[in-house]
Amino acid sequence: TVEVTEKLMELCKLLSAKEFQTQIEGVVLLLDHCRSSPQLVSSNIVQIFDVFLLRLQDCNRKVKQRALEALTLMTPILRDALHPMLSSLVLAITNSLNSKHSGIYAA
């Protein structure tokens, strides 16, 4: 529907923005969509997570930490829907284990 398309476009726009505050808004919105309408995220998982993965690998530690924290909350909600993105997610998360920033490492 048009409403779903608009939500997806807004989400991807926020997640792919240049400003880190806007990227964080996108991460928060994604988490909100996971909680309020998990079917929307599940049925568009590849499109959404192609952009979200960039935030998991972001050079800005605030964005990266917020994305990792959000992912821990999204995983139980999305469960099986994450399968198409699993290898990409594991790679992004594994790279974060090397972080010297305690918040990123902990997330």
Side-chain angles (χ1 to χ4, degrees), residues 11-79:
L11 178 60
C12 290
K13 178 182 164 190
L14 292 172
L15 286 171
S16 60
K18 291 184 180 184
E19 301 81 25
F20 81 92
Q21 296 98 335
T22 308
Q23 293 171 348
I24 290 174
E25 286 178 36
V27 171
V28 171
L29 181 61
L30 174 56
L31 181 57
D32 182 51
H33 284 325
C34 284
R35 290 177 172 153
S36 63
S37 53
Q39 184 60 36
L40 167 75
V41 178
S42 295
S43 57
N44 297 286
I45 197 82
V46 174
Q47 178 184 357
I48 294 169
F49 271 68
D50 276 348
V51 181
F52 179 66
L53 281 168
L54 299 174
R55 301 298 61 94
L56 289 171
Q57 301 167 331
D58 203 286
C59 60
N60 184 303
R61 67 176 175 79
K62 292 178 183 179
V63 173
K64 187 175 198 170
Q65 182 175 344
R66 184 62 72 97
L68 287 165
E69 291 167 349
L71 181 62
T72 62
L73 298 171
M74 288 187 275
T75 301
I77 297 169
L78 299 175
R79 290 185 298 258

Side-chain angles (χ1 to χ4, degrees), residues 1-16:
T1 66
V2 173
E3 182 182 341
V4 170
T5 303
E6 288 176 2
K7 284 183 179 183
L8 290 174
M9 286 176 53
E10 177 66 17
L11 178 60
C12 290
K13 178 182 164 190
L14 292 172
L15 286 171
S16 60

